[in-house]
Amino acid sequence: MLLMRDDFAKGPPTGDTSPDAEQTRNSSGKKKSTSKEVLIHEPAVLIEGVLFRARYLGSTQLVCEGQPTKATRMMQAEEAVSRIKAPEGETQPSTEVDLFISTEKIMVLNTDLKEIMMDHALRAISYIADIGDLVVLMARRRVMNSPDDPSEPKIKRTPKMICHVFESEEAQFIAQSIGQAFQVAYMEFLKANGIEDSSFVKEMDYQEVLNSQEIFGNELEMFAKKEKQKEVVVPKQKGEILGMVIVESGWGSMLPTVVIANMAQSGPAARCGQLNIGDQIIAINGISLVGLPLSTCQNYIKNTKTQTVVKLTVVPCAPVVEVKIKRPDTKYQLGFSVQNGVICSLLRGGIAERGGVRVGHRIIEINGQSVVAVPHEKIVNLLATSVGEIHMKTMPTSMFRLLTGQESPLYI
């Protein structure tokens, strides 16, 4: 699908939402699955911004002249992909990123380093194309005007387009979200100039639905209470590792920390008898781990190898996270997407996040029914048709794979 600026004023793109959506082909001839769900954001949510996890593959620039057609833009998008995408069978260099989309900007953040890689004003984006699992963002390169110098001949610069290529299972949702961000920005502009558009009036204000959604398992409140925290002293031999595996608590956590996913049976962490799988580590030797990247937290733990005593501050938690979402009608989106039982993306500030849904978690149970061995299509249908109070149980996917023997633990 290719979205151009003219399309954004006509409303968000739509697609086949039926479970039996057929395979379609893009212009490159490759098979592409139509989305089983069209992601429609509330205006207030897009004004604040939504976040998607993706892999940044690279950028290139193309010559851009005149007013190209959609077909020309799709050809340019495919040319950008052909330049950047590694040939089949070869390793594809990529960087894990968070793609932030709002009515003001599109920002790309390095997931591990927590650094801003790109920051484009929304108005700078001219075209968006999704090709299978790839998203191509195109923006005109800004030409810097130098002061006029009568002694220098004027050089006519060829306009160029910078193309960024990302890979994500949510490629179509990302393209839809950017399109809707343009639409909402346009509506806000009209509103600021005293023009109202009735197409945005809903039967029931989403804000009312959001207000009715309690913050389930309020981490900020729970972790702020000192009585909920536990100081654990782990004695060990010099040169001995702690003997644990840690994973991220999951994006969407109000207090992002690391979680103990496994412990070596004879290691110091297990020997001390005060730690359990599911416990969230708040600090190590007095250094807070809250909000730090997983790799940084792992390094802090590895650096204790030369010590004989390690002090951990933990909040005892069950390995399974309880989720409760209130959804009055199927016309209100849950605000997250799932691929093979794993939560892939989450609407920031929506009912799902408030209800305890976390990106990167594996859904274990929905309304008392185990979905561990249930096909993807059935999970999607189960979620799409659920209304009222929706109860789920989830856990970090890495922890699930370790506990079920699908991965071997690498202790640190």
Side-chain angles (χ1 to χ4, degrees):
M1 176 174 63
L2 182 74
L3 298 180
M4 302 175 74
R5 277 184 183 271
D6 291 343
D7 295 317
F8 300 141
K10 299 173 185 174
T14 58
D16 187 347
T17 59
S18 67
D20 300 317
E22 64 178 0
Q23 295 280 317
T24 60
R25 291 178 183 271
N26 59 32
S27 56
S28 65
K30 295 178 182 177
K31 278 191 175 181
K32 173 183 171 182
S33 298
T34 55
S35 173
K36 291 184 168 56
E37 182 182 357
V38 175
L39 191 63
I40 300 176
H41 300 291
E42 291 299 319
V45 172
L46 277 171
I47 291 170
E48 186 177 353
V50 294
L51 203 66
F52 288 93
R53 182 63 58 88
R55 290 170 293 283
Y56 170 64
L57 305 188
S59 300
T60 187
Q61 63 179 12
L62 302 170
V63 173
C64 167
E65 292 185 290
Q67 295 295 325
T69 62
K70 283 188 180 183
T72 301
R73 282 304 179 207
M74 180 56 84
M75 289 173 62
Q76 288 180 320
E78 289 175 341
E79 182 182 345
V81 169
S82 68
R83 290 184 185 183
I84 292 168
K85 192 86 166 70
E88 195 171 342
E90 293 186 15
T91 303
Q92 175 67 57
S94 65
T95 303
E96 290 286 333
V97 296
D98 287 320
L99 201 58
F100 174 79
I101 301 164
S102 76
T103 53
E104 289 188 2
K105 64 171 72 175
I106 295 178
M107 192 160 59
V108 180
L109 304 98
N110 185 304
T111 304
D112 288 330
L113 301 178
K114 302 296 181 187
E115 292 178 349
I116 297 173
M117 294 172 60
M118 302 169 210
D119 191 352
H120 289 292
L122 189 67
R123 62 181 178 272
I125 304 298
S126 298
Y127 307 93
I128 309 104
D130 68 284
I131 306 170
D133 286 344
L134 302 178
V135 179
V136 183
L137 300 187
M138 304 183 187
R140 284 185 182 275
R141 290 209 64 174
R142 203 187 319 174
V143 178
M144 303 302 292
N145 294 322
S146 57
D148 289 335
D149 187 342
S151 64
E152 289 186 10
K154 291 197 174 182
I155 301 171
K156 185 180 178 181
R157 291 185 174 88
T158 304
K160 293 183 179 177
M161 185 77 72
I162 185 81
C163 303
H164 306 298
V165 181
F166 302 87
E167 186 175 41
S168 172
E169 292 169 343
E170 304 303 314
Q172 192 173 27
F173 284 169
I174 292 171
Q176 289 174 5
S177 298
I178 296 172
Q180 291 167 40
F182 269 101
Q183 185 190 42
V184 173
Y186 173 67
M187 295 309 301
E188 289 298 306
F189 170 78
L190 291 182
K191 239 186 258 185
N193 287 274
I195 304 169
E196 291 289 341
D197 190 317
S198 60
S199 66
F200 269 71
V201 177
K202 307 294 183 185
E203 290 179 26
M204 179 180 178
D205 187 359
Y206 182 74
Q207 192 61 44
E208 292 180 29
V209 178
L210 190 60
N211 291 341
S212 69
Q213 173 65 55
E214 62 185 292
I215 298 178
F216 193 66
N218 192 337
E219 296 166 337
L220 290 175
E221 184 180 332
M222 181 174 74
F223 290 178
K225 295 179 179 177
K226 285 290 183 183
E227 60 268 24
K228 295 283 186 181
Q229 298 180 10
K230 183 168 73 170
E231 301 293 337
V232 178
V233 176
V234 183
K236 56 186 281 296
Q237 298 295 318
K238 190 172 182 179
E240 188 180 23
I241 62 171
L242 272 178
M244 63 167 64
V245 178
I246 59 170
V247 297
E248 292 175 307
S249 57
W251 184 86
S253 303
M254 293 184 183
L255 195 70
T257 59
V258 289
V259 182
I260 298 175
N262 210 318
M263 291 187 289
Q265 194 171 3
S266 57
R271 287 200 310 262
C272 78
Q274 297 185 65
L275 297 171
N276 293 291
I277 292 174
D279 288 353
Q280 298 203 24
I281 305 176
I282 304 298
I284 181 167
N285 291 331
I287 300 170
S288 174
L289 302 185
V290 176
L292 296 181
L294 176 63
S295 56
T296 303
C297 297
Q298 289 171 329
N299 286 334
Y300 275 123
I301 290 175
K302 290 175 183 177
N303 291 341
T304 63
K305 189 174 180 180
T306 58
Q307 300 172 11
T308 56
V309 173
V310 179
K311 182 182 176 183
L312 300 175
T313 305
V314 302
V315 174
C317 297
V320 174
V321 174
E322 303 254 356
V323 174
K324 184 171 76 174
I325 305 171
K326 291 181 180 178
R327 184 196 203 186
D329 194 283
T330 54
K331 67 182 178 182
Y332 297 106
Q333 62 168 336
L334 287 172
F336 67 95
S337 60
V338 176
Q339 186 65 43
N340 296 322
V342 178
I343 297 162
C344 302
S345 62
L346 178 65
L347 192 65
R348 192 174 78 165
I351 56 175
E353 184 184 22
R354 291 171 69 93
V357 171
R358 305 288 177 255
V359 170
H361 275 219
R362 176 68 159 83
I363 302 175
I364 309 299
E365 192 178 284
I366 300 174
N367 290 332
Q369 177 185 339
S370 172
V371 293
V372 168
V374 171
H376 168 72
E377 291 76 14
K378 191 171 180 181
I379 294 175
V380 170
N381 185 59
L382 195 59
L383 291 169
T385 57
S386 295
V387 292
E389 278 196 2
I390 303 167
H391 295 262
M392 296 196 305
K393 291 182 179 178
T394 72
M395 69 166 57
T397 300
S398 299
M399 183 189 295
F400 173 78
R401 294 180 66 83
L402 285 167
L403 294 177
T404 54
Q406 297 176 56
E407 285 183 5
S408 299
L410 296 173
Y411 298 112
I412 56 176

